[in-house]
Amino acid sequence: MAKKGAKVTNRITKKQMLELLIDLFNRHPDDQLDARGVCNELGIKSATLKAMCLHLLDDLVFEGYLVEPTMHKYRLANKSSIVCGTFKRSNDGYNLVYPDDDGEPIMIPERKSAHALTDDYVRVTLFAHRRGRGLEGEVIEIIKRKHDTFVGILRVQKNYAFLVTENRVMPADIFIPRDKLKGGKSGDKAIVKLMEWPSESRNPIGCVVDVLGPAGNNDTEMNAILAEYDLPYIYPQAVEAAANKLLTDINDEEISRREDFRDITTFTIDPEDAKDFDDALSRRALEGGLWEVGVHIADVSHYVKEGGIIDKEAFKRATSIYLVDRTIPMLPERLCNFLCSLRPNEEKLAYSVIFTMNDKAEVKKSRIARTVIRSDRRFTYEEVQEILSTGQGEYVGELCMLNSLAQTMREKRFASGAIDFQQAEVRFRLDEDGKPLSVYFTESNESHQLIEEFMLLANRTVAETIGKKTANNTPKTFVYRIHDQPDLEKLATLSRFVAKLGYKMRGSGRGNTASSLNSLLKDIKGQKEQTVIETISLRTMQKAKYSTQNIGHFGLAFRYYTHFTSPIRRYPDLMVHRLLERYLTQGARSVNPGKYETLCEHCSAQEQVAANAERASIKYKQVEFMTEHIDEEFDAVISGVTEWGIYAEIIENKCEGMIPLRTLQDDYYEYDDANYCLVGRRHHRKYTIGDPLRIRIVKANLDRKQLDFEIVE
C-alpha cells in the first residue's frame, strides 16, 4: 500500500507502481505533470522502470483516469469533488462513506480515513474515477463525531494508562495521561472522552470522565452497558430537586374540574416488581345490559409542564429503560413511583377514555375526560391469572367480565388481520449481588391480554378522535404510532425459506400478507422450527415508529393508532396528552407538523437505542449464567448461519453462542446464503437454520458478551 510521497525501488511491482501513480495525481488534482516530472517525483531512474511508468500512464489515459493535453503531459481527467456523508468502518480496511444524496458508496482506504469512526459525519474528497472501479476518496474532515466517549477497562502503567475497549466502533486502545485518570485503577471499567487524535498517531488520546467500578461487578457492568449506548445511568440532582418541590395534595378546585370516579370499582394489574402503575381499569353496570369501562391513565401532564426542567430531561431520555435488574426511569422517582403512580387507596389524577359497551364487546359510545380516581386494589398478573383460572378471589366478577370482553376484542382483532407474534421473554432470577441463579420465560396469558386489549382500544380511540375525518372533525397534527407493511422482497425470501422446511406462505401478496403470515405462524406452532421461523418472520417486519404522518399500524391492523397509555415511561404519550388538552379542551389550532415530526424522530431513535441496551443486558446475564456451565453439554437448535460459523440457541434457556467455522474439521464448508446453510464440499453435510444440535460450552467471554460452542458428535 503506497504511502504519501513514497519512492520507487528497483524491486517494485507493476501493481505497486500503479498505486504510487494514482496517489501522486490525487495529491496534485489541479496540476499538469510531465513524464520527466513524474519520474523525478517517484525517484524512478532505471530505463526499465521509466518504460513501465510510461506504459502505466498510457493505460490510465486509456481508462479515462488521466488526460494527455500535450505529448507526455498528464493531469486528472476531472478535478476532485467534495461530498459529505456517514462513515462506516470495516475490519478489512476498506471503509465506506454513504453520501447524503444516497449516491454510490465511496470506498475509503484505511490510510485515507483520517481516524474516522463508524457513524461519524465526514467530508470526503473524491479521487478521479477509474473505469470499471467504484468510487474512491479520502476523508478530509470529520465534521461531527457520532461518539466521543467510550467504555472499556483501564490498564494503568507507571506514567500512563490505556483504555482497552471491546467496542467495534473504536479500532485502537485509547492513551490516557496519568493526570487524566480521575482515580481509576487497573481493572476498573471507565468512561473516557476523546481529547485528540494526532494524524500520525495510531492511538487517540483521552481523559477519564467517570470510573464505573471494578469490571465484573453487577452495578459496574449494567452502568457500562448504559454508557456504551450513551444512555443516562444517574438522574440529575437539579431535576430530582424540581420534582421534590411538586405539591402532593389534590385540592377541591382541581377535583371540581374533573369527572369523579373515586367511588367506582377500579384496580391496576402489573408485573410483580412494578412500582410505576400508569394504567387502571374501572367497571360499573349501566341500564339496558350495558357496561361502562374506564381506561384510566396517570395524568403526568398535570405535573410535568412543557419546557420545564423535568420536561426537558424527560424528552432527552424519551423512554424508561428496562435492564435485567433495574429500571432507568424517564421521570424522577418522586413522579413515576409516587405522585403519578396509581397506587391503591390514594386519590390520583388521571386522563381517561370511558367506554359504553355491550356483552359482545361492541363500543356504543366513548369519551375522553380528565378524571380523579382511587384504585381499590393493586393486582399482579399472576394473581389475576389465578382468579381467572379458578373463578375465585377478590373482584372475580369484574375480572372475569372484563376478560370476556378482552378475549372477544382479541378474536375480532386477529380476524381483521392483526399479526399473532407471541415470543417468550427471557427473565432471570438473581441473587442479592445481581448474579443470575436461573433463567425462565414469560409468555402472554389471559391476564396480560386483558390489559393489552383495553390499552389497545384506548390508544386506537384516541387516535381516531383526533385523526379520523368526519362531518364534525377536521384532522389536526397528531402523534401516531405507525407500522408499515413488510417489504415484498423480504416476504418472498421468507416464503422461499419456509418452503424448504416444508411450509407454505399461502398467497403472500400485498393484499393478504397478514393472513398468510398468521397461517404460517399457526402451522409451525409446537414444531421444532417454530422459534427460528418466528425470528426470521419478525425480521421481515418493518420497525414501528412515531410520526405525524399516519399510515396506520400493519401489525395491529389498525387504521388509526397512537400511544396514550404510558406517559410515565414514554414521552410520546405525554405529547399525546398535551395535544388532547390543546384540541379537546382549549379548542386551539393545529400545531406545527414539522416541529412534532422532529420530536417523533428523536423518540423513535431513543426507543431503538434503549431496546439495544436492554438486549445487551440480557446477553450479558446469559453469558454470565453460562460461565458456571463450561464444558457441559446441552441440546440446541441452529439459530443463524454465516460465512464465519454457526449460531446456536440452547433450548432450555435460550442462551445463544457461536460455533466458529474453523472448528468444523470434518470437511471444508461453504456458505449458501440463499438456503441459510453451510454445506460440506466433500461429504455434502448441511447445517441449516432450525436443525437440532448437541453442543458443549467451550468459552464464555463477558467483555464481548459472547459464548463459544463446539458440536458434540
Side-chain angles (χ1 to χ4, degrees), residues 304-315 571 574 578:
V304 181
K305 301 305 179 183
E306 189 170 5
I309 185 174
I310 300 174
D311 181 59
K312 288 178 179 177
E313 181 67 22
F315 171 69
Y571 195 83
L574 183 53
R578 289 169 176 161

Side-chain angles (χ1 to χ4, degrees), residues 589-618:
R589 296 170 61 184
S590 184
V591 295
N592 183 314
K595 171 189 172 182
Y596 273 79
E597 187 63 24
T598 300
L599 300 179
C600 286
E601 289 172 359
H602 169 76
C603 292
S604 297
Q606 285 301 105
E607 176 188 39
Q608 189 57 51
V609 172
N612 292 339
E614 289 162 11
R615 282 193 291 269
S617 79
I618 292 171

Side-chain angles (χ1 to χ4, degrees), residues 410 413-414 417-423 449 514 517-518 521-522 525 534 555:
R410 186 175 177 83
R413 187 162 58 83
F414 287 125
I419 308 297
D420 190 13
F421 281 118
Q422 293 188 42
Q423 288 200 311
Q449 293 161 10
L517 276 170
N518 276 330
L521 295 172
K522 184 177 180 181
K525 196 77 172 177
E534 283 180 342

Side-chain angles (χ1 to χ4, degrees), residues 550-567:
N550 181 39
I551 60 170
H553 196 294
F554 170 76
L556 295 173
F558 289 162
R559 179 67 186 88
Y560 300 89
Y561 189 65
T562 189
H563 273 172
F564 162 82
T565 52
S566 293

Side-chain angles (χ1 to χ4, degrees), residues 673-692:
D673 59 345
N675 296 304
Y676 297 93
C677 67
L678 288 173
V679 183
R681 182 180 289 180
R682 288 179 298 166
H683 305 303
H684 309 294
R685 179 174 180 175
K686 285 186 179 181
Y687 290 103
T688 305
I689 287 183
D691 286 349

Side-chain angles (χ1 to χ4, degrees), residues 460-476:
R460 186 182 67 180
T461 301
V462 167
E464 288 177 344
T465 300
I466 303 301
K468 194 172 185 179
K469 187 174 182 179
T470 65
N472 300 320
N473 182 50
T474 300
K476 294 181 173 66

